[in-house]
Amino acid sequence: HRKSPYPRPCDVTLVHMPHSSTPPASISRPSGKLKSARVTRIETPYAHSLHAYQGLCPWNPAGTHLVYAGLDEETKSTQIVIRDLSKGTDQVVGQTAGCDYHTAVYQQWILDGMGVVYRDTRGEVKGSTIAPAPGSSLAPAFLPSLQIRAVASSTRHGYGYSLDDPISAMRADFTTGEVERYFHAEDAAPHLPEDIAEPCEYSFSHFVPNKDESLAFIKVSKPEPHRKRPGQMDDWGAFFIYNLKNGGFLCLGDRISG
C-alpha cells in the first residue's frame, strides 16, 4: 500500500461478496511491513463490489467512511454507496448505467470528504456527477462531457478528459465548477524520440498530479494501428512528467507496452 494523505494508509479493506468461494478464514495474514495492518471485511448485498481503479483510495480523509460501487448484472447498472464504518450502514448516493468490473465508475472522495465524484451516464450524455456525502451541504452537480479520472490530494481539483475532445486533459474546480484545459496529447509528440514519433492522433491516460499540483505523471499513447510496426515490439507510447505551471515535458521512458 502506497503512502497517502489518509490516516490509515496501511489498512487493508476486504470486500467479501456473498457468492465468494473463498471464505475469509483462508485469506493469508499480511506479512512484512503489513504484518500489523488491520483487515476489515465488508459484507455487501451486491454480487460484485469494487473500490474503483488502482490508486484510488476508498477511505474518506477522516477514515470513518468508505465509498464503493455495487454492480447489478441484471439491470446492468452501478450504485455508488457510502458505508459508515461505525454504524455498519450503507447509503446509496448515486446510480448510473453500465457495469465495469475493471474500473467501476472511478468513484472517489472530493472536498475533504464532503462528497464523491463518479463517472455517470444520463440518457445519451456521458460525464461526471458530484454527489454529497450523508449530512453534507455540498450541492449535487452533473458535469457533462467530462470524465474525472484523478482527484488531487487537496481534493479540490479533479483531473480528466473531455469527451468532446478526448485528447484534451481537463481540470475541474469542485468549489467553483470551472473547467479548463491544461494538456493536449499532441503537445507531447515533439518530445518523443525521433525513431518512434510519427504523425497520428495521440491519446493519454494514467495522469496523476503531485501534491502541490505543479507536476503531473502522464502516459501518452498511440492509436491501435500505429502501435505495432514490422520488426518492432508493440509501441504504445511514452511516460511523461508534465509541468502544469509552464507546460514543460520530461520523457521518462518510451516504447511502453501494455
Side-chain angles (χ1 to χ4, degrees):
H1 289 253
R2 61 180 177 82
K3 292 183 178 179
S4 74
Y6 301 100
R8 300 172 176 175
C10 288
D11 278 10
V12 177
T13 306
L14 168 67
V15 174
H16 179 60
M17 295 177 286
H19 70 286
S20 174
S21 59
T22 305
S26 68
I27 295 174
S28 59
R29 182 177 179 178
S31 59
K33 293 184 178 180
L34 287 179
K35 63 183 179 182
S36 62
R38 187 187 66 184
V39 176
T40 303
R41 189 181 81 177
I42 304 296
E43 301 242 6
T44 81
Y46 302 92
H48 302 278
S49 303
L50 297 175
H51 276 338
Y53 198 48
Q54 58 194 27
L56 301 183
C57 184
W59 295 91
N60 70 334
T64 57
H65 293 73
L66 289 171
V67 61
Y68 71 90
L71 280 56
D72 189 324
E73 288 184 314
E74 291 186 6
T75 62
K76 298 297 180 185
S77 64
T78 299
Q79 291 189 329
I80 297 81
V81 186
I82 291 179
R83 165 68 59 94
D84 185 321
L85 293 172
S86 62
K87 299 179 181 178
T89 56
D90 285 340
Q91 180 162 333
V92 176
V93 296
Q95 180 169 319
T96 187
C99 296
D100 192 318
Y101 301 96
H102 179 53
T103 63
V105 288
Y106 283 91
Q107 70 275 4
Q108 49 196 308
W109 294 95
I110 62 172
L111 299 175
D112 295 321
M114 289 183 65
V116 296
V117 63
Y118 62 91
R119 185 176 62 196
D120 196 4
T121 301
R122 300 192 178 186
E124 296 183 358
V125 180
K126 296 182 178 180
S128 296
T129 286
I130 296 172
S136 170
S137 60
L138 181 67
F142 179 63
L143 307 175
S145 301
L146 180 63
Q147 294 267 345
I148 297 295
R149 291 294 186 90
V151 173
S153 59
S154 67
T155 70
R156 172 182 172 180
H157 291 126
Y159 290 79
Y161 63 88
S162 167
L163 292 170
D164 296 327
D165 182 14
I167 58 176
S168 287
M170 313 298 288
R171 175 167 58 189
D173 189 322
F174 296 128
T175 62
T176 65
E178 295 180 356
V179 178
E180 61 177 336
R181 193 185 88 169
Y182 74 94
F183 172 82
H184 198 275
E186 290 184 347
D187 297 339
H191 302 274
L192 289 168
E194 292 183 4
D195 61 334
I196 67 168
E198 57 181 309
C200 63
E201 189 175 87
Y202 291 86
S203 61
F204 63 90
S205 61
H206 297 82
F207 38 92
V208 182
N210 66 346
K211 270 191 171 184
D212 63 4
E213 297 182 64
S214 61
L215 302 171
F217 170 83
I218 300 174
K219 177 185 174 184
V220 176
S221 305
K222 293 181 179 181
E224 191 70 40
H226 296 265
R227 289 178 179 172
K228 196 159 189 171
R229 291 182 286 171
Q232 295 190 6
M233 63 181 287
D234 287 355
D235 179 14
W236 284 53
F239 288 139
F240 286 92
I241 295 294
Y242 176 70
N243 191 314
L244 289 159
K245 304 296 184 183
N246 61 25
F249 289 88
L250 173 63
C251 184
L252 301 179
D254 52 65
R255 294 189 179 86
I256 305 300
S257 298

Short mmCIF file of all heavy atoms in Angstrom, two decimals, residues 71-106:
data_model
loop_
_atom_site.label_atom_id
_atom_site.label_comp_id
_atom_site.label_asym_id
_atom_site.label_seq_id
_atom_site.Cartn_x
_atom_site.Cartn_y
_atom_site.Cartn_z
N LEU A 71 -22.32 -3.45 -8.24
CA LEU A 71 -22.69 -3.72 -9.63
C LEU A 71 -23.83 -4.72 -9.70
O LEU A 71 -23.79 -5.76 -9.05
CB LEU A 71 -21.48 -4.26 -10.40
CG LEU A 71 -20.45 -3.24 -10.91
CD1 LEU A 71 -19.91 -2.40 -9.78
CD2 LEU A 71 -19.32 -3.93 -11.64
N ASP A 72 -24.83 -4.37 -10.48
CA ASP A 72 -26.00 -5.21 -10.65
C ASP A 72 -26.02 -5.75 -12.08
O ASP A 72 -26.25 -5.00 -13.03
CB ASP A 72 -27.28 -4.41 -10.38
CG ASP A 72 -28.53 -5.29 -10.33
OD1 ASP A 72 -28.59 -6.26 -11.09
OD2 ASP A 72 -29.44 -4.98 -9.54
N GLU A 73 -25.77 -7.07 -12.23
CA GLU A 73 -25.70 -7.65 -13.56
C GLU A 73 -27.06 -7.70 -14.25
O GLU A 73 -27.15 -7.61 -15.47
CB GLU A 73 -25.11 -9.06 -13.48
CG GLU A 73 -23.62 -9.08 -13.18
CD GLU A 73 -23.06 -10.49 -13.20
OE1 GLU A 73 -23.69 -11.37 -12.60
OE2 GLU A 73 -22.01 -10.69 -13.82
N GLU A 74 -28.12 -7.86 -13.48
CA GLU A 74 -29.45 -7.98 -14.08
C GLU A 74 -29.89 -6.68 -14.74
O GLU A 74 -30.43 -6.67 -15.85
CB GLU A 74 -30.46 -8.42 -13.02
CG GLU A 74 -30.26 -9.85 -12.53
CD GLU A 74 -31.38 -10.29 -11.60
OE1 GLU A 74 -32.35 -9.52 -11.44
OE2 GLU A 74 -31.28 -11.39 -11.03
N THR A 75 -29.71 -5.56 -14.04
CA THR A 75 -30.13 -4.27 -14.59
C THR A 75 -29.02 -3.56 -15.34
O THR A 75 -29.25 -2.51 -15.95
CB THR A 75 -30.61 -3.35 -13.46
OG1 THR A 75 -29.51 -3.10 -12.55
CG2 THR A 75 -31.75 -3.98 -12.69
N LYS A 76 -27.81 -4.14 -15.32
CA LYS A 76 -26.65 -3.52 -15.96
C LYS A 76 -26.46 -2.09 -15.47
O LYS A 76 -26.28 -1.15 -16.23
CB LYS A 76 -26.79 -3.53 -17.48
CG LYS A 76 -26.87 -4.92 -18.09
CD LYS A 76 -25.60 -5.72 -17.83
CE LYS A 76 -25.67 -7.10 -18.44
NZ LYS A 76 -24.49 -7.93 -18.10
N SER A 77 -26.50 -1.96 -14.15
CA SER A 77 -26.33 -0.64 -13.55
C SER A 77 -25.36 -0.72 -12.37
O SER A 77 -25.02 -1.81 -11.90
CB SER A 77 -27.68 -0.08 -13.08
OG SER A 77 -28.21 -0.90 -12.05
N THR A 78 -24.92 0.44 -11.92
CA THR A 78 -23.98 0.53 -10.81
C THR A 78 -24.50 1.52 -9.79
O THR A 78 -24.91 2.64 -10.14
CB THR A 78 -22.60 0.98 -11.30
OG1 THR A 78 -22.09 0.04 -12.24
CG2 THR A 78 -21.63 1.11 -10.13
N GLN A 79 -24.52 1.12 -8.52
CA GLN A 79 -24.88 2.03 -7.45
C GLN A 79 -23.62 2.48 -6.73
O GLN A 79 -22.71 1.67 -6.48
CB GLN A 79 -25.84 1.36 -6.46
CG GLN A 79 -27.22 1.10 -7.05
CD GLN A 79 -28.21 0.63 -6.01
OE1 GLN A 79 -27.86 -0.02 -5.05
NE2 GLN A 79 -29.49 0.96 -6.22
N ILE A 80 -23.55 3.76 -6.39
CA ILE A 80 -22.42 4.32 -5.66
C ILE A 80 -22.84 4.40 -4.20
O ILE A 80 -23.84 5.06 -3.86
CB ILE A 80 -22.01 5.70 -6.21
CG1 ILE A 80 -21.55 5.56 -7.65
CG2 ILE A 80 -20.89 6.28 -5.37
CD1 ILE A 80 -22.62 5.50 -8.68
N VAL A 81 -22.10 3.72 -3.34
CA VAL A 81 -22.52 3.50 -1.96
C VAL A 81 -21.46 4.03 -0.99
O VAL A 81 -20.25 3.82 -1.20
CB VAL A 81 -22.75 2.00 -1.68
CG1 VAL A 81 -23.32 1.79 -0.29
CG2 VAL A 81 -23.67 1.40 -2.74
N ILE A 82 -21.91 4.69 0.06
CA ILE A 82 -21.02 5.12 1.14
C ILE A 82 -21.35 4.31 2.38
O ILE A 82 -22.50 4.28 2.83
CB ILE A 82 -21.16 6.63 1.42
CG1 ILE A 82 -20.61 7.43 0.23
CG2 ILE A 82 -20.43 7.01 2.70
CD1 ILE A 82 -20.72 8.93 0.40
N ARG A 83 -20.34 3.63 2.92
CA ARG A 83 -20.50 2.81 4.12
C ARG A 83 -20.00 3.57 5.34
O ARG A 83 -18.86 4.05 5.38
CB ARG A 83 -19.71 1.51 3.95
CG ARG A 83 -19.47 0.68 5.21
CD ARG A 83 -20.75 0.07 5.77
NE ARG A 83 -21.42 -0.82 4.83
CZ ARG A 83 -21.24 -2.13 4.79
NH1 ARG A 83 -20.39 -2.72 5.62
NH2 ARG A 83 -21.91 -2.87 3.92
N ASP A 84 -20.86 3.71 6.35
CA ASP A 84 -20.49 4.27 7.65
C ASP A 84 -19.91 3.13 8.47
O ASP A 84 -20.64 2.21 8.87
CB ASP A 84 -21.71 4.88 8.33
CG ASP A 84 -21.36 5.59 9.64
OD1 ASP A 84 -20.51 5.07 10.39
OD2 ASP A 84 -21.96 6.65 9.91
N LEU A 85 -18.61 3.16 8.71
CA LEU A 85 -17.95 2.03 9.36
C LEU A 85 -18.33 1.88 10.83
O LEU A 85 -18.34 0.78 11.36
CB LEU A 85 -16.43 2.17 9.22
CG LEU A 85 -15.92 2.05 7.79
CD1 LEU A 85 -14.45 2.40 7.72
CD2 LEU A 85 -16.15 0.65 7.27
N SER A 86 -18.66 2.98 11.51
CA SER A 86 -19.02 2.87 12.93
C SER A 86 -20.42 2.29 13.10
O SER A 86 -20.69 1.55 14.04
CB SER A 86 -18.93 4.24 13.60
OG SER A 86 -19.86 5.15 13.01
N LYS A 87 -21.32 2.60 12.18
CA LYS A 87 -22.69 2.11 12.27
C LYS A 87 -22.92 0.85 11.44
O LYS A 87 -23.91 0.14 11.65
CB LYS A 87 -23.66 3.20 11.80
CG LYS A 87 -23.62 4.47 12.64
CD LYS A 87 -24.58 5.51 12.08
CE LYS A 87 -24.54 6.80 12.88
NZ LYS A 87 -25.45 7.83 12.30
N GLY A 88 -22.03 0.62 10.47
CA GLY A 88 -22.20 -0.53 9.59
C GLY A 88 -23.35 -0.37 8.62
O GLY A 88 -23.91 -1.35 8.13
N THR A 89 -23.70 0.88 8.31
CA THR A 89 -24.82 1.14 7.41
C THR A 89 -24.34 1.67 6.06
O THR A 89 -23.27 2.28 5.96
CB THR A 89 -25.77 2.17 8.03
OG1 THR A 89 -25.04 3.37 8.35
CG2 THR A 89 -26.39 1.62 9.30
N ASP A 90 -25.14 1.43 5.04
CA ASP A 90 -24.85 1.90 3.69
C ASP A 90 -25.85 2.97 3.28
O ASP A 90 -27.02 2.92 3.69
CB ASP A 90 -24.94 0.76 2.67
CG ASP A 90 -23.74 -0.17 2.74
OD1 ASP A 90 -22.69 0.25 3.26
OD2 ASP A 90 -23.85 -1.31 2.26
N GLN A 91 -25.38 3.92 2.49
CA GLN A 91 -26.30 4.88 1.87
C GLN A 91 -25.93 5.01 0.40
O GLN A 91 -24.78 5.31 0.06
CB GLN A 91 -26.22 6.25 2.54
CG GLN A 91 -27.18 7.26 1.90
CD GLN A 91 -27.45 8.46 2.76
OE1 GLN A 91 -27.37 8.40 3.99
NE2 GLN A 91 -27.78 9.58 2.14
N VAL A 92 -26.91 4.76 -0.46
CA VAL A 92 -26.70 4.91 -1.90
C VAL A 92 -26.76 6.40 -2.23
O VAL A 92 -27.77 7.06 -1.98
CB VAL A 92 -27.76 4.13 -2.70
CG1 VAL A 92 -27.58 4.38 -4.20
CG2 VAL A 92 -27.67 2.65 -2.39
N VAL A 93 -25.68 6.93 -2.81
CA VAL A 93 -25.63 8.36 -3.12
C VAL A 93 -25.73 8.61 -4.62
O VAL A 93 -25.77 9.78 -5.06
CB VAL A 93 -24.35 9.01 -2.57
CG1 VAL A 93 -24.33 8.94 -1.05
CG2 VAL A 93 -23.10 8.34 -3.15
N GLY A 94 -25.75 7.54 -5.42
CA GLY A 94 -25.87 7.72 -6.85
C GLY A 94 -26.05 6.40 -7.57
O GLY A 94 -25.77 5.33 -7.01
N GLN A 95 -26.53 6.48 -8.79
CA GLN A 95 -26.70 5.29 -9.62
C GLN A 95 -26.48 5.68 -11.07
O GLN A 95 -26.85 6.77 -11.50
CB GLN A 95 -28.09 4.70 -9.44
CG GLN A 95 -28.32 3.44 -10.29
CD GLN A 95 -29.60 2.72 -9.90
OE1 GLN A 95 -29.91 2.58 -8.72
NE2 GLN A 95 -30.34 2.24 -10.89
N THR A 96 -25.85 4.79 -11.83
CA THR A 96 -25.59 5.06 -13.22
C THR A 96 -25.70 3.79 -14.05
O THR A 96 -25.64 2.68 -13.49
CB THR A 96 -24.19 5.70 -13.41
OG1 THR A 96 -24.03 6.12 -14.78
CG2 THR A 96 -23.09 4.73 -13.04
N ALA A 97 -25.86 3.95 -15.34
CA ALA A 97 -25.99 2.79 -16.22
C ALA A 97 -24.63 2.16 -16.47
O ALA A 97 -23.60 2.84 -16.45
CB ALA A 97 -26.63 3.22 -17.54
N GLY A 98 -24.63 0.85 -16.69
CA GLY A 98 -23.40 0.16 -17.04
C GLY A 98 -22.70 -0.49 -15.86
O GLY A 98 -22.90 -0.09 -14.70
N CYS A 99 -21.92 -1.52 -16.16
CA CYS A 99 -21.12 -2.23 -15.17
C CYS A 99 -19.70 -2.38 -15.71
O CYS A 99 -19.52 -2.91 -16.81
CB CYS A 99 -21.69 -3.62 -14.88
SG CYS A 99 -23.32 -3.63 -14.15
N ASP A 100 -18.74 -1.91 -14.98
CA ASP A 100 -17.35 -2.05 -15.39
C ASP A 100 -16.60 -2.76 -14.27
O ASP A 100 -16.41 -2.20 -13.19
CB ASP A 100 -16.73 -0.68 -15.66
CG ASP A 100 -15.37 -0.79 -16.36
OD1 ASP A 100 -14.58 -1.67 -15.98
OD2 ASP A 100 -15.12 0.01 -17.29
N TYR A 101 -16.18 -3.99 -14.53
CA TYR A 101 -15.54 -4.80 -13.50
C TYR A 101 -14.07 -4.48 -13.33
O TYR A 101 -13.40 -5.08 -12.49
CB TYR A 101 -15.74 -6.29 -13.82
CG TYR A 101 -17.18 -6.69 -13.92
CD1 TYR A 101 -17.83 -6.74 -15.15
CD2 TYR A 101 -17.92 -6.96 -12.77
CE1 TYR A 101 -19.18 -7.08 -15.23
CE2 TYR A 101 -19.26 -7.29 -12.84
CZ TYR A 101 -19.89 -7.35 -14.08
OH TYR A 101 -21.21 -7.66 -14.15
N HIS A 102 -13.56 -3.57 -14.12
CA HIS A 102 -12.14 -3.21 -14.04
C HIS A 102 -11.94 -1.89 -13.29
O HIS A 102 -11.10 -1.79 -12.41
CB HIS A 102 -11.56 -3.10 -15.45
CG HIS A 102 -10.11 -2.72 -15.51
ND1 HIS A 102 -9.14 -3.40 -14.80
CD2 HIS A 102 -9.47 -1.73 -16.19
CE1 HIS A 102 -7.96 -2.85 -15.05
NE2 HIS A 102 -8.14 -1.84 -15.87
N THR A 103 -12.73 -0.89 -13.63
CA THR A 103 -12.54 0.44 -13.06
C THR A 103 -13.71 0.90 -12.20
O THR A 103 -13.63 1.96 -11.59
CB THR A 103 -12.34 1.48 -14.17
OG1 THR A 103 -13.53 1.52 -14.98
CG2 THR A 103 -11.15 1.12 -15.05
N ALA A 104 -14.80 0.12 -12.17
CA ALA A 104 -16.06 0.58 -11.56
C ALA A 104 -16.45 1.89 -12.24
O ALA A 104 -16.47 1.97 -13.46
CB ALA A 104 -15.93 0.71 -10.06
N VAL A 105 -16.71 2.95 -11.47
CA VAL A 105 -17.06 4.23 -12.08
C VAL A 105 -16.11 5.34 -11.61
O VAL A 105 -16.47 6.51 -11.54
CB VAL A 105 -18.53 4.62 -11.77
CG1 VAL A 105 -19.49 3.74 -12.55
CG2 VAL A 105 -18.82 4.55 -10.29
N TYR A 106 -14.87 4.94 -11.27
CA TYR A 106 -13.86 5.90 -10.83
C TYR A 106 -14.37 6.73 -9.65
O TYR A 106 -14.04 7.90 -9.52
CB TYR A 106 -13.43 6.82 -11.97
CG TYR A 106 -12.49 6.17 -12.95
CD1 TYR A 106 -12.97 5.52 -14.08
CD2 TYR A 106 -11.12 6.19 -12.74
CE1 TYR A 106 -12.13 4.91 -14.98
CE2 TYR A 106 -10.24 5.58 -13.64
CZ TYR A 106 -10.76 4.95 -14.77
OH TYR A 106 -9.91 4.35 -15.65
#
